[in-house]
Amino acid sequence: MDFTAKAEEKSDDSHVFCPIPALRSGEQFRNFLTTVEIPCDNVTTFGGPPRGKKGSSKNVCLDGRFDVIPGRCVVFSFGINHDWSFEDEMAEFGCKVFAYDPTMDVESHQRSPNLQFFSTGISNYNGTKVIGMGKNWKERKVDRFENLVKEAGMEGRPIDVVKLDVELSELDFLQDMLFNSRHVLGSIKQLAMEIHSHFRIPSKVAGRRNSL
């Protein structure tokens, strides 16, 4: 067997053309965050006041092209921190919601007919990781997004919304999706993601940018 040929073949397969140039400065990053590239005519806010905390809401585009249909839509949500407003409202809208947060010391359970909770965190590997909130940091269970989708029985199905409010663990998620699970990334219609940055972003723009 020609192992060299096999290695070269694998290397060739790993090259994927990406038309988006790499960011080379903080200014480029700021411009990316503040530029609306895909406008939405029907932006709907889920979560936040009065049921939840300020800052816990996420915008979802309900334009027809995204086909977010009650009774058929699927949502994966990471990072609850005892504020269920986004997840409850998406479930009440008619979506099947899978929610994850290992930091609340709450066991996995069925919160409502459309909302199932798992005490697992998101990462780029299956195992444990020291994560937490405030002073409550300890070793907790984490797993890859692709594995969680399979466990939820949603493999191969379109995923309408993925919410990430996970205090930098979104970097693990993005790294894993871009390098290991591009086929799963392609099934996600919208990402509602908290981005950690020292740049101040106008609230009007931030509200429009958090659904990608």
Side-chain angles (χ1 to χ4, degrees):
M1 179 179 292
D2 188 344
F3 291 99
T4 303
K6 288 289 184 181
E8 290 176 352
E9 180 181 345
K10 183 176 182 180
S11 177
D12 290 341
D13 289 343
S14 66
H15 290 290
V16 177
F17 174 72
C18 179
I20 303 174
L23 297 177
R24 301 184 182 278
S25 68
E27 187 61 28
Q28 277 189 313
F29 182 55
R30 187 207 306 267
N31 290 338
F32 173 76
L33 294 180
T34 56
T35 301
V36 178
E37 298 173 348
I38 304 176
C40 176
D41 295 325
N42 187 9
V43 177
T44 301
T45 300
F46 292 87
R51 298 172 68 170
K53 302 173 185 176
K54 184 179 180 180
S56 64
S57 64
K58 295 292 181 289
N59 292 336
V60 177
C61 183
L62 297 183
D63 284 0
R65 57 191 161 142
F66 289 111
D67 200 30
V68 183
I69 306 298
R72 296 200 332 232
C73 49
V74 175
V75 175
F76 280 79
S77 179
F78 297 90
I80 313 300
N81 194 24
H82 301 285
D83 186 334
W84 297 89
S85 57
F86 173 82
E87 292 72 23
D88 285 341
E89 290 181 16
M90 290 299 314
E92 291 165 6
F93 177 75
C95 295
K96 186 72 173 176
V97 181
F98 301 92
Y100 300 81
D101 193 326
T103 68
M104 302 192 299
D105 296 324
V106 176
E107 294 184 358
S108 301
H109 65 278
Q110 189 80 35
R111 178 173 170 85
S112 68
N114 280 344
L115 174 51
Q116 192 168 2
F117 171 76
F118 302 89
S119 57
T120 303
I122 189 69
S123 189
N124 53 3
Y125 63 90
N126 177 22
T128 61
K129 180 180 180 180
V130 177
I131 52 178
M133 294 290 293
K135 297 181 179 180
N136 185 22
W137 289 76
K138 61 183 179 181
E139 200 88 9
R140 304 175 193 271
K141 180 183 176 182
V142 295
D143 206 345
R144 299 175 56 234
F145 182 73
E146 183 173 358
N147 293 340
L148 298 175
V149 169
K150 290 178 181 178
E151 290 177 2
M154 295 292 116
E155 184 178 12
R157 288 191 52 177
I159 299 170
D160 294 273
V161 180
V162 173
K163 183 205 100 172
L164 291 154
D165 189 351
V166 287
E167 310 307 319
L168 288 176
S169 287
E170 69 271 11
L171 300 179
D172 293 340
F173 165 84
L174 290 172
Q175 180 192 54
D176 186 42
M177 298 299 284
L178 290 171
F179 287 97
N180 303 314
S181 300
R182 286 187 294 266
H183 59 291
V184 180
L185 181 62
S187 70
I188 300 173
K189 298 179 183 179
Q190 298 183 61
L191 284 174
M193 181 171 63
E194 180 182 274
I195 298 174
H196 293 81
S197 164
H198 66 280
F199 295 116
R200 295 185 64 84
I201 303 171
S203 58
K204 183 177 180 180
V205 174
R208 297 171 67 188
R209 277 293 307 186
N210 75 354
S211 291
L212 306 177

